[in-house]
Amino acid sequence: QVQLVESGGGLVQPGESLRLSCAASGIIFSVYNMGWYRQAPGAQRELVAQISVGSTTNYADSVKGRFSISRDNAKKTVYLQLTRLKPENTAVYYCNGVSTVWRWGQGTQVTVSS
């Protein structure tokens, strides 16, 4: 069965950085486009960054230039580097496929507050 396990979140101050990790199991990771999503309180889950099997990346306009997605196929892990964090980036962050979406993991909480 597919399992996605996110980690790396935490409480940070505005302007600080975090690196999120998502370890996948139960899939042939290298053949899937992967994405990072987030869900803020009271909002719908949204896709903020995606990386193709060839490592082409795309970002939501709100995070472009501040977030960076990468992948390590050997480790079956996708990363999201978050920099210059803002309070509005507070959310639970999840990874999943893009064209193929599996059962959601527990996510990792990112809280940006002074």
Side-chain angles (χ1 to χ4, degrees):
Q1 66 188 36
V2 180
Q3 189 173 20
L4 301 167
V5 179
E6 300 92 348
S7 62
L11 171 62
V12 297
Q13 295 190 345
E16 294 187 336
S17 300
L18 281 172
R19 189 192 194 205
L20 309 183
S21 299
C22 171
S25 60
I27 59 172
I28 304 174
F29 180 80
S30 60
V31 306
Y32 290 102
N33 299 331
M34 296 297 295
W36 277 97
Y37 302 74
R38 68 183 176 192
Q39 187 166 22
Q44 288 191 332
R45 190 173 290 158
E46 61 173 340
L47 178 65
V48 297
Q50 55 184 299
I51 185 166
S52 73
V53 296
S55 293
T56 299
T57 58
N58 277 291
Y59 301 92
D61 287 344
S62 60
V63 306
K64 202 170 292 185
R66 298 188 299 114
F67 290 11
S68 178
I69 188 171
S70 60
R71 65 190 298 161
D72 185 331
N73 290 337
K75 295 182 179 179
K76 295 188 175 182
T77 300
V78 59
Y79 304 97
L80 188 66
Q81 180 72 42
L82 296 72
T83 65
R84 292 183 281 142
L85 281 161
K86 304 176 181 180
E88 53 263 41
N89 300 139
T90 294
V92 180
Y93 285 73
Y94 304 86
C95 75
N96 214 312
V98 178
S99 304
T100 300
V101 177
W102 302 282
R103 188 176 72 171
W104 294 94
Q106 83 287 349
T108 187
Q109 175 71 50
V110 172
T111 303
V112 186
S113 174
S114 55

